[in-house]
Amino acid sequence: AAASVPEHLRLLRPGYLRFGDLPGFLGGALVAAYPSYGEGFGLPVLEAMACGAPVLTTPRLSLPEVGGDAVAYTGPEPEEIARDLGRLLDDEARRRELALAGLARETKTIRLGTMLTCGTFRLPGPLAISVAQVDAMSGGRVELGLGAGWYEAEHRAYGVPFPETGERFERLTEQLEIVTGLWTTPVGGRYSFHGKHYELVDSPALPKPVQTPRPPVIVGGKGTKRTPALAARFADEFNVPFCSVEQTQTIFAAATAACEAAGREPASLRLSAAQTLCCGRTDAEVRRRAEAIGSDVDALKATGLCGTPAEIVDKIGQLSQIGASRLHLQVLDLTDLDHLDLVAEQVMPQVA
């Protein structure tokens, strides 16, 4: 049964290694942490996190001597480990963090993150841990985009509960407060939270991210009330996805008003837009790339960056004029590397 545990994983038991031995032992591997019979969880998982290793954990057993959402448990038997790790590696939300961890190790300068992590997929405590780990692995390059979730069909397809809109925003509010609270709790301190949907009691609030006071938080959406209010309260960046310039300007104005209502300087909230990219040297090439991603050229031009390099530079200028200081580009055809070359050669030099 032990042979079925993936070779790239390291297994830790309480007291298994001295802290000073952990970095060499881990060697960048994933870590599966679990307790021995009759023992509490101990420190190895927290020590592994402190060394920047991504730690895979499973739902906590009833171990009253250890608490907090930041730590979870599985049984110590090899077949149980293999079973639970298989479940973990099949989990869609965790795959995103594992993908970011891999990118963190293979890149040096790019910023890393997701647009946006769906709040319904993850518990806030483990999410804070995952992002802090990737931040450590990347040398402080991760950003957390967090949203309420919107795609009901995806939830139904994978058996994920999809509450009503009001509850999703209640959960998102608590998640943002918990994640930022865990990150900013001083080392050696404890964090507790008592909300309607989540409760954390005496959490050690570890591991800590590399960036101080915490990684940037991105909140985004197309609404003009709840989402801008959350951004004004918690976010470093407010993102408007896949809207026209006129729609984006209206939503930006709502974010500015939300900052003013909250007593926050509006300039402290970065404004950004997400746009689907479809660039071509000629109209025929633009149309071919639009068809390849199942889109209509006119629709893409209305809500995305679509057209020749000159047209795209002009659209970027319009977004900049209404306050956008950052653009997130959605590239849907990942096999079309000539598309990226074109943008790098004929668009980027004009907007850098």
Side-chain angles (χ1 to χ4, degrees), residues 135-272:
D135 198 47
M137 295 179 71
S138 66
R141 292 184 285 125
V142 76
E143 304 184 15
L144 173 63
L146 191 59
W150 64 275
Y151 193 23
E152 184 175 3
E154 183 179 25
H155 289 72
R156 290 182 178 276
Y158 291 97
V160 179
F162 188 72
E164 294 296 323
T165 302
E167 181 178 333
R168 296 202 308 276
F169 271 92
E170 289 176 353
R171 288 180 177 274
L172 177 60
T173 302
E174 293 187 14
Q175 288 169 334
L176 287 164
E177 185 162 339
I178 291 167
V179 170
T180 56
L182 287 168
W183 285 344
T184 56
T185 297
V187 175
R190 296 278 169 166
Y191 177 80
S192 295
F193 177 84
H194 304 281
K196 180 178 179 180
H197 301 286
Y198 305 102
E199 182 172 6
L200 282 70
V201 180
D202 206 25
S203 170
L206 294 172
K208 297 299 182 193
V210 170
Q211 298 175 84
T212 57
R214 55 170 176 74
V217 172
I218 304 171
V219 170
K222 299 180 181 180
T224 58
K225 295 181 180 179
R226 285 180 290 201
T227 306
L230 285 177
R233 182 177 173 187
F234 295 106
D236 302 280
E237 177 178 333
F238 178 68
N239 180 264
V240 177
F242 315 120
C243 287
S244 68
V245 174
E246 294 74 21
Q247 290 172 311
T248 301
Q249 185 174 23
T250 297
I251 301 170
F252 278 175
T256 297
C259 285
E260 293 171 345
R264 174 177 176 175
E265 172 56 49
S268 69
L269 179 65
R270 169 186 266 178
L271 301 177
S272 68

Side-chain angles (χ1 to χ4, degrees), residues 26 34 40 42 51 59 62 66 99-101 105 126 139 174 178 219 246 258-259 279 286-288 294 304 312 319 351:
L26 297 176
Y34 57 97
C51 293
S62 178
V66 183
L100 289 180
R105 291 177 55 80
E174 293 187 14
I178 291 167
V219 170
E246 294 74 21
C259 285
C279 182
V286 171
R287 184 169 57 255
R288 176 178 63 78
I312 286 179
L319 290 166
V351 299

Side-chain angles (χ1 to χ4, degrees), residues 1-72:
S4 61
V5 178
E7 292 182 358
H8 65 294
L9 294 168
R10 301 289 186 269
L11 307 179
L12 297 179
R13 291 179 184 271
Y16 183 59
L17 288 173
R18 291 179 293 115
F19 180 79
D21 296 332
L22 276 168
F25 172 76
L26 297 176
L30 301 175
V31 176
Y34 57 97
S36 298
Y37 282 127
E39 300 180 20
F41 192 79
L43 292 177
V45 64
L46 301 180
E47 293 169 345
M49 292 171 181
C51 293
V55 176
L56 300 178
T57 55
T58 56
R60 188 176 65 205
L61 297 176
S62 178
L63 297 174
E65 67 271 28
V66 183
D69 284 351
V71 179

